[in-house]
Amino acid sequence: MNVFKLSDFSCEEINAILDLAEEFKNGKQVDYHRQKSVAFLFFENSTRTHYSFEKAALNLGCVTQNFEAATSSVQKGESLYDTVKLFECIGNDVIVIRHSKNNYFDDLKGIRVPILSGGDGTGNHPTQSLLDLMTIREHFGHFKGLKVAIVGDIAHSRVAHSNYEVMRRLGMEVYMSGPEEYREEGYPYMPFDELVEKMDVIMLLRVQHERHASNMQLTTAQYHERYGMTMARVNRMKDQAIIMHPAPFNRGVEIADEVVECDKSRIFEQMHNGVYVRMALLYMAIEDTKQ
Ligand code: CP
């Protein structure tokens, strides 16, 4: 079982992954007694995805290997395929990869152990979407009919791209918003101040300076004033509406410091749920290899 993008999974399969994640959150125990090994190959920086994946593996009683590209033979020109093949050859049962190249997994067709993607370039972030979905389902109890806005650097966000596809398939109404320079054709847009009162979920995104030459026309203060979630905007949201952010976040830019931990914020619950969706995927991938 590979997990590269959620568009490869049906709505039923996605709900089954969330059900299993919920079981782990409610105390389901699995212990592989150090008989299974998971390797983490993060070619791009990560804190949440990398370490919550590793925590998930440790919770399941797996051993882990953490690869460091900067001190590896990647520096001698070794290809992605050859690097990943090595981690298969030395006995890992599952490999988790994040890479800055969109669809990097297309280069890995000869790998025989399951690969779980921790994100590919600006393309997909399947485990982030799953933890977002788990957090939404926990709060509302369903997906159908919910109105969701994703706000910020849409063009460079694999979270926006992944979530738009899967959320619509699950019956949510999804809108994009944010600065003109980060817009992407083909998505429905709504001005930020128009959507604040209408949405059930407002998901804020970080400006991804590392993915583009800085073409931002706005100062930090201007961004915050026009697109930032302030307490004044929080107070205009529906009673049951929630605020999400994949993090890392820029306090005082897309989100005010006091909003990060306000009642409507589910940001830290998203991080918490990340461990359970990753436990579910690791468990499914390992069990799948036993078939
Ligand atoms: N949300 C997320 O992917 O965070 P990291 O980049 O820290 O993994």
Side-chain angles (χ1 to χ4, degrees):
M1 184 185 102
N2 293 316
V3 180
F4 298 143
K5 41 192 190 317
L6 290 186
S7 54
D8 294 335
F9 292 80
S10 69
C11 291
E12 290 70 27
E13 288 168 327
I14 287 164
N15 272 304
I17 296 167
L18 300 182
D19 291 344
L20 182 57
E22 215 170 271
E23 280 185 54
F24 279 116
K25 191 170 183 176
N26 291 331
K28 179 182 171 71
Q29 297 288 320
V30 171
D31 190 349
Y32 288 113
H33 298 288
R34 300 177 60 81
Q35 300 301 304
K36 298 292 173 189
S37 178
V38 184
F40 301 98
L41 280 65
F42 278 72
F43 292 85
E44 198 188 78
N45 295 346
S46 169
T47 306
R48 271 143 294 275
T49 311
H50 186 161
Y51 296 102
S52 70
F53 245 128
E54 185 171 23
K55 185 69 170 68
L58 295 171
N59 286 354
L60 295 172
C62 300
V63 292
T64 61
Q65 284 206 299
N66 285 289
F67 164 76
E68 285 182 30
T71 55
S72 75
S73 291
V74 168
Q75 304 308 323
K76 302 174 196 168
E78 189 164 58
S79 70
L80 174 63
Y81 180 84
D82 290 342
T83 301
V84 177
K85 196 71 184 168
L86 173 274
F87 281 88
E88 175 186 298
C89 292
I90 61 176
N92 285 287
D93 299 284
V94 182
I95 301 178
V96 176
I97 303 174
R98 172 177 284 186
H99 201 283
S100 55
K101 183 179 170 190
N102 282 27
N103 300 315
Y104 70 81
F105 31 77
D106 289 347
D107 301 339
L108 300 178
K109 300 248 191 291
I111 303 298
R112 289 195 296 269
V113 295
I115 297 171
L116 306 181
S117 184
D120 67 295
T122 60
N124 304 272
H125 197 342
T127 63
Q128 179 68 45
S129 290
L130 287 168
L131 72 88
D132 292 341
L133 294 173
M134 181 174 179
T135 307
I136 291 170
R137 202 177 75 163
E138 267 181 354
H139 182 76
F140 293 100
H142 66 96
F143 296 123
K144 220 166 182 54
L146 293 177
K147 290 187 166 68
V148 181
I150 305 176
V151 183
D153 187 358
I154 304 301
H156 302 96
S157 172
R158 56 188 166 220
V159 176
H161 299 144
S162 277
N163 275 340
Y164 183 79
E165 187 281 324
V166 70
M167 286 176 169
R168 278 172 42 107
R169 224 159 19 100
L170 288 164
M172 293 181 251
E173 223 176 280
V174 188
Y175 299 90
M176 303 297 198
S177 191
E180 191 71 36
E181 52 266 53
Y182 300 140
R183 280 190 178 215
E184 193 169 335
E185 290 303 312
Y187 293 109
Y189 275 81
M190 196 187 281
F192 187 43
D193 271 310
E194 202 176 298
L195 63 78
V196 168
E197 284 102 350
K198 295 179 179 156
M199 296 295 129
D200 299 296
V201 178
I202 300 182
M203 181 177 291
L204 307 161
L205 301 175
R206 180 177 66 90
V207 174
Q208 304 205 27
H209 294 292
E210 72 275 23
R211 295 202 191 283
H212 46 87
S214 190
N215 59 347
M216 172 72 107
Q217 305 297 314
L218 304 172
T219 64
T220 296
Q222 285 170 330
Y223 189 100
H224 191 61
E225 189 197 325
R226 292 182 203 176
Y227 307 107
M229 185 54 80
T230 58
M231 276 316 289
R233 289 188 172 113
V234 171
N235 292 333
R236 287 168 44 207
M237 291 173 67
K238 290 185 191 175
D239 286 348
Q240 292 303 312
I242 58 172
I243 296 161
M244 300 176 74
H245 194 310
F249 38 80
N250 299 301
R251 292 175 189 253
V253 185
E254 73 272 12
I255 187 162
D257 192 27
E258 61 271 29
V259 174
V260 172
E261 295 191 53
C262 76
D263 287 349
K264 288 192 178 303
S265 171
R266 291 294 176 279
I267 295 171
F268 294 109
E269 198 57 29
Q270 289 173 265
M271 294 179 197
H272 187 58
N273 286 340
V275 176
Y276 302 112
V277 299
R278 289 165 181 135
M279 284 176 78
L281 293 178
L282 285 167
Y283 175 71
M284 290 169 73
I286 290 169
E287 292 303 307
D288 196 49
T289 59
K290 294 180 180 170
Q291 305 297 318

